[in-house]
Amino acid sequence: MKLFYLLIFFSYCYAQGIYKPLPEHIEYDKKIIDLGRELFFDTILSDNNDISCASCHGIYGADNKIFSIGTDNKIGNINTPTVFNLIYNINFFWNGREDNLTSQIANGPLIAEHEMANDKKTIEQRLKYSKKYKQLFQSAYGKEPSFDNMLHAIAEFEKTLITPNSKFDKYLRGEIKLSKKEQKGLILFESYGCVSCHNGINLGSNSYQKYGAVIEYKNEHKQWDDRYKVTKDPNDIDVFKVPSLRNIQMTPPYFHDGSANNLKNAIYSMAYHNTGALLEEDEVEYIESFLKTLTGELPKTLTGK
């Protein structure tokens, strides 16, 4: 028993250095955020006016599908990451091919055939013909709607989608203690080396790692847009951006291919392929309990209230 409490003490000390709580508040321009939110939930941006950004990012920033459904019911080709807390990401997309949010939006969902399948000219025309958007753009930017300001407004809105005050955040701030089960999960999370990839303010999204670093992972059905597609370095085959673990219990299925349909399966699989560990059932339950402490509050700017 003394050893367990000693491990808790060392784990807490370690946590103060390797993790960081999300800020409770973030500064923003309300008029721009109001415009960005309106655009985020509006189907006007898609080719056939049938999907919005929120269609694929509506459940804790994701959509709980293996692959998202785009305009004309076209199926996506990789699992949709959450847009929550993405301001803390190293880059964007699973392979990190874009380094800022505006280019991610412009070169990804808006034009991708299996997503919104639209183009700059059509989007700009629709916004300029809209009385509502004429007023909102005038209020936010002092000028008529434009494609570039549309990108800016959505990006600024997405930057505000942080989920503070999770139980783990409160633990890091010294406000509460974790339960014994959660604490055991944190200790296992660290002792098995999960923390080597899932660290920092986002518990991930700050590095690239190979899925199957220790034991090869094979999925023969698809060729994924991995890091190799960006760098052309053979060492980057099957390398992807490490996803954030924040709100992880809310965003199944997991991994780039959506192959893990629940959190327990994801823990088993990741431990096996990336650490070589065959976890015991109780170890998985402990780690799962810890990961559930990472669920934060929904962003206040989602509703504007």
Side-chain angles (χ1 to χ4, degrees):
M1 185 61 72
K2 288 183 179 179
L3 176 60
F4 175 65
Y5 285 109
L6 188 62
L7 286 172
I8 289 179
F9 172 74
F10 283 119
S11 180
Y12 177 76
C13 294
Y14 182 71
Q16 301 310 303
I18 203 71
Y19 313 112
K20 185 179 178 182
L22 287 171
E24 295 181 70
H25 307 286
I26 191 167
E27 297 297 322
Y28 58 84
D29 184 311
K30 186 177 185 304
K31 291 181 179 179
I32 292 176
I33 299 312
D34 287 346
L35 170 58
R37 180 176 56 253
E38 195 73 25
L39 291 163
F40 187 85
F41 285 94
D42 200 332
T43 60
I44 195 173
L45 301 182
S46 63
D47 180 37
N48 288 329
N49 282 285
D50 54 355
I51 66 164
S52 68
C53 303
S55 299
C56 299
H57 297 287
I59 304 173
Y60 264 81
D63 65 0
N64 294 161
K65 295 181 175 65
I66 295 177
F67 305 120
S68 297
I69 299 173
T71 191
D72 279 342
N73 290 314
K74 293 178 180 176
I75 306 297
N77 56 13
I78 200 164
N79 185 254
T80 298
T82 178
V83 292
F84 285 1
N85 305 307
L86 50 61
I87 190 175
Y88 305 110
N89 288 3
I90 187 174
N91 272 344
F92 303 97
F93 296 116
W94 278 98
N95 59 10
R97 63 185 180 272
E98 297 292 345
D99 61 5
N100 66 78
L101 264 176
T102 52
S103 63
Q104 183 269 332
I105 298 165
N107 299 324
L110 288 180
I111 64 172
E113 181 183 0
H114 55 273
E115 296 184 60
M116 291 181 164
N118 215 332
D119 61 80
K120 176 179 178 179
K121 182 179 179 180
T122 301
I123 291 171
E124 198 165 74
Q125 284 179 343
R126 288 180 182 178
L127 295 175
K128 286 181 177 179
Y129 291 152
S130 165
K131 182 178 179 180
K132 175 181 72 173
Y133 282 115
K134 282 182 180 179
Q135 293 174 343
L136 287 172
F137 275 86
Q138 186 64 38
S139 177
Y141 295 106
K143 56 184 69 174
E144 69 175 2
S146 71
F147 186 78
D148 288 344
N149 280 341
M150 177 272 298
L151 292 176
H152 180 263
I154 295 175
E156 290 302 299
F157 169 68
E158 290 185 346
K159 289 176 184 178
T160 70
L161 299 179
I162 62 170
T163 59
N165 294 318
S166 68
K167 188 172 184 178
F168 191 59
D169 286 324
K170 294 174 182 178
Y171 166 76
L172 291 175
R173 297 197 298 257
E175 298 170 4
I176 62 170
K177 294 181 179 179
L178 299 182
S179 70
K180 285 187 178 182
K181 194 172 182 180
E182 293 161 350
Q183 191 70 60
K184 285 181 179 179
L186 174 57
I187 292 169
L188 289 168
F189 181 84
E190 293 168 350
S191 64
Y192 275 113
C194 310
V195 68
S196 63
C197 297
H198 294 285
N199 52 61
I201 192 169
N202 234 0
L203 284 89
S205 291
N206 56 0
S207 67
Y208 300 101
Q209 301 293 336
K210 183 181 179 68
Y211 185 22
V214 176
I215 297 174
E216 185 179 7
Y217 173 81
K218 291 184 178 180
N219 186 320
E220 307 293 348
H221 303 296
K222 273 183 174 288
Q223 292 296 313
W224 306 101
D225 286 337
D226 55 12
R227 190 68 180 154
Y228 171 74
K229 298 290 182 66
V230 179
T231 66
K232 305 306 179 185
D233 182 345
N235 292 319
D236 284 337
I237 293 173
D238 292 330
V239 169
F240 299 92
K241 183 178 67 178
V242 176
S244 166
L245 292 181
R246 287 194 173 275
N247 310 302
I248 194 69
Q249 76 171 116
M250 310 301 293
T251 59
Y254 305 105
F255 308 141
H256 60 285
D257 60 359
S259 58
N261 61 358
N262 61 64
L263 196 47
K264 281 188 172 66
N265 287 345
I267 295 166
Y268 272 120
S269 182
M270 186 53 61
Y272 177 68
H273 290 289
N274 275 52
T275 74
L278 286 170
L279 299 181
E280 299 291 336
E281 184 177 345
D282 63 338
E283 290 180 312
V284 173
E285 290 182 358
Y286 290 141
I287 294 173
E288 182 183 35
S289 292
F290 161 63
L291 294 180
K292 288 181 177 180
T293 70
L294 302 177
T295 302
E297 298 172 353
L298 286 170
K300 291 181 173 60
T301 54
L302 272 181
T303 62
K305 296 179 180 178

